[in-house]
Each structure stands twice: as structure tokens, then as C-alpha cells.
């Protein structure tokens, strides 16, 4: 019973954190409709960040922090959206658009997301440490994986 209650509390904590994230960065809501509203069925149990490797979470939040004032400056904060966010060949792929469809994503926003595409290639997908672009994992995580240590057991 105690273990179930702990899991239940952990889920509530996740939902509270995710609700705060979505309020701060609406584009992280995976259930956002084309009119910018959130679907009634969305329970804040996950965000777009949860589809990414955990080692990139802080990097993506850093990017979102920089994106927010850019979007506000362009008057696009409420209509900026993501069609997909994923890892592909060891790099962050961030597919965004403007809900208005009559407006393109501004060049400075595009430049920022491209910079983070490059940065992701040098960030370990597991722990977030710096790594070489040729590898998916840093040396420490690669060692742990090869030897079945830590999260690789």
C-alpha cells in the first residue's frame, strides 16, 4: 500500500511540474490544438520533453528559456507550436511552426533551434555531459553501458 501511495504522489508531482512547464512554455504541451487551447483530455502526465533522452532535458529547457523572449518580441508566443520533437542520429530534431499558418518562424528563432541541434550532438543523451559529436554517449556513460553498471544493469 505504501509503495502505491508513493507512486501516486510521484505522478501528482510530475503533473504539477508539467503544468508549470506548459504554462511557461505552451509549445511543450503535446495535446495543444491548432487554436492554441489545450485538449480537455490532457492530464499533464507528460510533455514534449519526455519524448527526448533525459540527458537533453536541461538543454531543451535552456533553449525554451531563450525562445520565450524571442517569441514574445515577435508577438508569436501564443501561436508558436511543435509538430514533433525527437532524437535522430544523435541530434535534437525540433520541428516547429506558427499556428497562424500565414506566418513563418522568424529567422532568429530558427537560428536558435539550429544552434541547439548542433549543441545536442555534443551533449550526452543519458547524463547531459559534454561528448564528441561522433558518439551518442559520453565516455563515462559508454563505459557504464559496456560494463553493465548503474542504469545499464
Amino acid at each position: 500500500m505504501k509503495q502505491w501511495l508513493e507512486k501516486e504522489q510521484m505522478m501528482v508531482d510530475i503533473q504539477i511540474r508539467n503544468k508549470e512547464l506548459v504554462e511557461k512554455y505552451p509549445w511543450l504541451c503535446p495535446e495543444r490544438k491548432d487554436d492554441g487551447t489545450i485538449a480537455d483530455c490532457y492530464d499533464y502526465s507528460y510533455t514534449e520533453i519526455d519524448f527526448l533522452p533525459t540527458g537533453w532535458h536541461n538543454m531543451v529547457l535552456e533553449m525554451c528559456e531563450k525562445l520565450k523572449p524571442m517569441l514574445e518580441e515577435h508577438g508569436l508566443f501564443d501561436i508558436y507550436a511543435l509538430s514533433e520533437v525527437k532524437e535522430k542520429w544523435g541530434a535534437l530534431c525540433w520541428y516547429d511552426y506558427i499556428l497562424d499558418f500565414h506566418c513563418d518562424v522568424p529567422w532568429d528563432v530558427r537560428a536558435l533551434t539550429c544552434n541547439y541541434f548542433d549543441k545536442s550532438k555534443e551533449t550526452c543523451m543519458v547524463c547531459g555531459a559534454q561528448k564528441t559529436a561522433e558518439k551518442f554517449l559520453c565516455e563515462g556513460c559508454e563505459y557504464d553501458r559496456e560494463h553493465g553498471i548503474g542504469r545499464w544493469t
Side-chain angles (χ1 to χ4, degrees), residues 1 5 10 13 15 22 33 37 47 52 54 68 81 88 98 102 128 135 141:
M1 180 72 170
L5 288 173
M10 186 176 11
D13 293 344
Q15 288 173 312
V22 167
K33 298 189 269 182
T37 61
T47 67
L52 296 172
T54 55
K68 186 177 180 180
K88 186 173 183 180
I98 304 299
H102 298 292
K135 299 191 176 219
C141 289

Side-chain angles (χ1 to χ4, degrees), residues 2-151:
K2 182 181 178 191
Q3 197 173 27
W4 180 84
L5 288 173
E6 288 173 358
K7 277 188 171 183
E8 189 69 25
Q9 183 58 49
M10 186 176 11
M11 190 61 190
V12 169
D13 293 344
I14 288 169
Q15 288 173 312
I16 290 169
R17 180 200 65 136
N18 288 345
K19 186 168 188 195
E20 291 170 358
L21 275 177
V22 167
E23 287 171 356
K24 191 171 184 180
Y25 313 118
W27 55 88
L28 293 179
C29 177
E31 299 293 334
R32 196 158 171 235
K33 298 189 269 182
D34 284 342
D35 65 0
T37 61
I38 295 173
D40 293 336
C41 63
Y42 182 59
D43 65 357
Y44 298 95
S45 60
Y46 61 102
T47 67
E48 291 287 356
I49 291 177
D50 296 315
F51 297 108
L52 296 172
T54 55
W56 289 354
H57 288 191
N58 288 336
M59 179 188 69
V60 170
L61 289 174
E62 175 186 295
M63 181 178 73
C64 288
E65 192 66 34
K66 292 177 181 179
L67 264 176
K68 186 177 180 180
M70 289 177 162
L71 294 168
E72 289 171 337
E73 182 181 319
H74 290 291
L76 301 173
F77 180 78
D78 292 327
I79 58 174
Y80 180 75
L82 296 173
S83 55
E84 187 175 16
V85 176
K86 65 182 179 179
E87 175 274 328
K88 186 173 183 180
W89 297 106
L92 171 66
C93 294
W94 184 271
Y95 303 106
D96 54 5
Y97 65 100
I98 304 299
L99 291 173
D100 183 339
F101 297 114
H102 298 292
C103 178
D104 291 330
V105 174
W107 69 267
D108 57 341
V109 171
R110 184 68 64 229
L112 180 70
T113 59
C114 287
N115 286 342
Y116 276 85
F117 169 84
D118 292 337
K119 185 176 181 176
S120 68
K121 292 182 201 176
E122 298 175 350
T123 304
C124 178
M125 294 189 294
V126 174
C127 71
Q130 192 169 4
K131 65 167 189 69
T132 61
E134 298 80 34
K135 299 191 176 219
F136 290 158
L137 305 175
C138 68
E139 288 182 20
C141 289
E142 186 61 39
Y143 179 87
D144 290 352
R145 187 188 65 78
E146 288 175 1
H147 294 89
I149 299 171
R151 61 179 49 123

